[in-house]
Amino acid sequence: MKKEPFLYAAAFAMDGCIGVIGLCAPLLAVQLGATYDDLGAVGAVSSLTYTLGCLAYGRLSYRVGYRRSMALASIAVALSVALYPCATRIAHVVALYSVTWLFISGFWPALQAWLGGGKDRRDLLRTLGRFNISWALGLLIGPAVGGALYVDNLAWPFAVSAGLIGTLSL
């Protein structure tokens, strides 16, 4: 199997799960009594950890290999996502969301570098276009799936996302 179809599917799956988590983590925080300020903290702190993580993981993924970096990041993200239903305080959600985004930052630089490696300009443009469609479709579908799962049981969106993200490590 060529690497591109796998990486497109991985981008779709990861961003689909990010869409689920991006909807359901704040819903969980609100259920625990979060204020608007708390929700702002969830977003701000996670953006900071993601940005800083990308700087570190970009170099690390080159050293350990893109496939290994994606696999390790997927396992770490899956484990952190699986812990959300255990949160009993808003601070737990803030911490988990930040850690989740820190681990996600180990996934994306590796995927993007692996996908673009060894391509000429024409192939790179085509590959990046398909990649962008893949992750965008995942992000489009994820919140709808997350909302449907959350209505039934607050643990379901996190369990399904953790399971799917965990399979990306295989």
Side-chain angles (χ1 to χ4, degrees), residues 17 21 74 77-83 157-167:
C17 292
I21 298 158
S74 297
V77 172
L79 291 173
S80 69
V81 170
L83 292 175
F158 301 110
V160 170
S161 294
L164 183 56
I165 293 169
T167 63

Side-chain angles (χ1 to χ4, degrees), residues 59-162:
R59 290 182 187 98
L60 183 63
S61 68
Y62 180 76
R63 284 192 206 126
V64 301
Y66 301 135
R67 175 174 270 182
R68 182 177 293 150
S69 179
M70 286 175 59
L72 293 172
S74 297
I75 291 167
V77 172
L79 291 173
S80 69
V81 170
L83 292 175
Y84 280 89
C86 300
T88 57
R89 295 179 173 187
I90 299 161
H92 296 158
V93 178
V94 172
L96 282 170
Y97 205 62
S98 297
V99 167
T100 300
W101 277 97
L102 178 65
F103 293 143
I104 288 171
S105 70
F107 181 84
W108 286 118
L111 185 145
Q112 292 167 355
W114 191 15
L115 189 61
K119 301 221 181 306
D120 64 25
R121 181 172 166 39
R122 192 176 122 248
D123 287 341
L124 183 60
L125 290 173
R126 183 179 302 127
T127 299
L128 288 177
R130 291 177 181 155
F131 165 71
N132 286 330
I133 290 169
S134 299
W135 70 256
L137 286 174
L139 208 53
L140 173 73
I141 293 168
V145 171
L149 291 171
Y150 195 89
V151 167
D152 287 336
N153 182 327
L154 75 86
W156 276 109
F158 301 110
V160 170
S161 294

